[in-house]
Amino acid sequence: MKGIHVVGLTGQTGAGKSTVSSLFRARGIKVIDCDQVSRDVVSGEKSCLADLALEFSIAILNMDGTLNRKKLASIVFGNPQKLSKLNELIFPHIRAEINRRVKELAKQGVPLVVLDAPTLFESGADADCELIISVLAPEAERLNRIVVRDHLTDQEARSRMASQHDDAFYSSRSQLVIMNDGDPELLHIKTLETIDLLERALRELNASEQTQDGSASDPEGAI
Ligand SMILES: CC(C)(COP(=O)(O)OP(=O)(O)OC[C@H]1O[C@@H](n2cnc3c(N)ncnc32)[C@H](O)[C@@H]1O)[C@@H](O)C(=O)NCCC(=O)NCCS
Ligand SMILES: Nc1ncnc2c1ncn2[C@@H]1O[C@H](COP(=O)(O)OP(=O)(O)OP(=O)(O)O)[C@@H](O)[C@H]1O
């Protein structure tokens, strides 16, 4: 997008994207949490919750009219057709909200934004990214992490994981990969190295854009 660099951060559930995102934020980099966007688009004025209830029945609603996330998860994870119907209904709203937030940041003069998006490719948001980083981790570790973090049963965690692509899918579509197969301290170090690579790549991109524009290049320019 004009005036702002957009970088995608993706990977399977439990791989460590949110942990990496928090380290990006600590370095002053703006991050859009797309799991949070997916929560925002089912509440508020322009909510698509009614469309979801029409498709999946009012059983997906809590007594107070909000989305029963556990119920919807139990319907879609493990059923590819239903998951694809959910994606079809919710992705346009998620994409529109992401674009709105990116434009807002560009208007504020923010030079770089990272989209933390587990379904970056499925939603088509990868098309808006100049560079994509995937966080990967061994399957058994991801399973353990999400069972503990999300209080899922082993079966619930496995169906969620089975709804996603394998490592090769992510690594073949990413310019940078962070393998989160060690302790959190190692992830911290790898993330800082990745931020350095990212900053260098974006400086080069800035310089080549300026050369094409005919304007002076600024090798130390902010990303
Ligand atoms: C099905 C829902 C209600 C389950 O909610 P729940 O609170 O249990 O999970 P949460 O939203 O926190 O997602 C946790 C993880 O599940 C995985 N996941 C979520 N949606 C999807 C999907 N459509 N396809 C594959 N994996 C998914 C991601 O790794 C995500 O980080 C929710 O995940 C949802 O609305 N998903 C569709 C929107 C979406 O793709 N969100 C991701 C942001 S782009
Ligand atoms: N290297 C690690 N060692 C131990 N625990 C870790 C490590 N990396 C992340 N975790 C923990 O694993 C859980 C999953 O990590 P995180 O939330 O960052 O994954 P995610 O990729 O954002 O997952 P999701 O797509 O499901 O939201 C978290 O509780 C996090 O604290």
Side-chain angles (χ1 to χ4, degrees), residues 13 34-35 38-39 67 69 72-73 76-77 83 86-87 90-91 94 118-119 160 163-164:
T13 185
C34 299
D35 274 337
S38 86
R39 285 179 159 72
L67 177 62
R69 306 184 66 82
L72 184 54
V76 297
F77 294 128
L83 181 62
L86 169 64
N87 289 345
I90 201 168
F91 282 161
I94 294 177
T119 49
R160 192 170 293 226
S163 305
Q164 300 185 339

Side-chain angles (χ1 to χ4, degrees), residues 60-123:
I60 64 160
L61 301 180
N62 293 311
M63 294 295 275
D64 63 2
T66 57
L67 177 62
N68 182 333
R69 306 184 66 82
K70 208 166 173 66
K71 178 73 190 172
L72 184 54
S74 75
I75 295 173
V76 297
F77 294 128
N79 185 327
Q81 269 122 21
K82 294 207 165 150
L83 181 62
S84 115
K85 193 69 210 177
L86 169 64
N87 289 345
E88 193 185 299
L89 291 172
I90 201 168
F91 282 161
H93 295 267
I94 294 177
R95 286 286 303 277
E97 180 56 21
I98 292 173
N99 283 338
R100 194 192 65 73
R101 292 186 193 190
V102 171
K103 277 191 190 139
E104 187 58 41
L105 291 170
K107 228 190 286 168
Q108 291 166 15
V110 170
L112 165 67
V113 62
V114 172
L115 309 182
D116 172 355
T119 49
L120 185 82
F121 297 109
E122 296 87 331
S123 66

Side-chain angles (χ1 to χ4, degrees), residues 122-141:
E122 296 87 331
S123 66
D126 60 310
D128 301 325
C129 299
E130 285 163 274
L131 193 138
I132 295 173
I133 304 169
S134 281
V135 185
L136 304 180
E139 197 175 316
E141 287 183 33

Side-chain angles (χ1 to χ4, degrees), residues 13-217:
T13 185
K17 295 175 298 297
S18 308
T19 313
V20 168
S21 282
S22 62
L23 298 169
F24 274 79
R25 284 197 182 93
R27 284 278 295 252
I29 296 171
K30 292 280 180 205
V31 178
I32 296 177
D33 174 352
C34 299
D35 274 337
Q36 184 55 48
V37 171
S38 86
R39 285 179 159 72
D40 295 343
V41 300
V42 292
S43 63
E45 271 173 37
K46 293 182 188 158
S47 167
C48 61
L49 187 53
D51 294 338
L52 302 189
L54 270 178
E55 176 64 32
F56 297 105
S57 96
I58 56 165
I60 64 160
L61 301 180
N62 293 311
M63 294 295 275
D64 63 2
T66 57
L67 177 62
N68 182 333
R69 306 184 66 82
K70 208 166 173 66
K71 178 73 190 172
L72 184 54
S74 75
I75 295 173
V76 297
F77 294 128
N79 185 327
Q81 269 122 21
K82 294 207 165 150
L83 181 62
S84 115
K85 193 69 210 177
L86 169 64
N87 289 345
E88 193 185 299
L89 291 172
I90 201 168
F91 282 161
H93 295 267
I94 294 177
R95 286 286 303 277
E97 180 56 21
I98 292 173
N99 283 338
R100 194 192 65 73
R101 292 186 193 190
V102 171
K103 277 191 190 139
E104 187 58 41
L105 291 170
K107 228 190 286 168
Q108 291 166 15
V110 170
L112 165 67
V113 62
V114 172
L115 309 182
D116 172 355
T119 49
L120 185 82
F121 297 109
E122 296 87 331
S123 66
D126 60 310
D128 301 325
C129 299
E130 285 163 274
L131 193 138
I132 295 173
I133 304 169
S134 281
V135 185
L136 304 180
E139 197 175 316
E141 287 183 33
R142 293 193 288 108
L143 180 75
N144 273 336
R145 289 175 193 162
I146 63 169
V147 163
V148 173
R149 186 198 59 187
D150 299 334
H151 313 289
L152 299 176
T153 63
D154 189 77
Q155 187 48 47
E156 285 169 336
R158 285 182 193 279
S159 359
R160 192 170 293 226
M161 287 168 64
S163 305
Q164 300 185 339
H165 299 285
D166 62 11
D167 284 6
F169 176 91
Y170 291 97
S171 49
S172 63
R173 289 165 176 78
S174 308
Q175 285 71 43
L176 296 171
V177 171
I178 300 176
M179 179 51 80
N180 180 17
D181 56 358
D183 60 21
E185 182 54 32
L186 184 60
L187 178 62
H188 194 132
I189 294 167
K190 287 183 177 179
T191 303
L192 294 185
E193 285 170 1
T194 303
I195 293 174
D196 285 344
L197 287 172
L198 175 63
E199 291 183 338
R200 201 178 317 149
L202 294 178
R203 269 199 298 272
E204 280 167 15
L205 209 65
N206 276 343
S208 82
E209 278 168 7
Q210 284 167 345
T211 309
Q212 277 164 19
D213 284 358
S215 53
S217 77

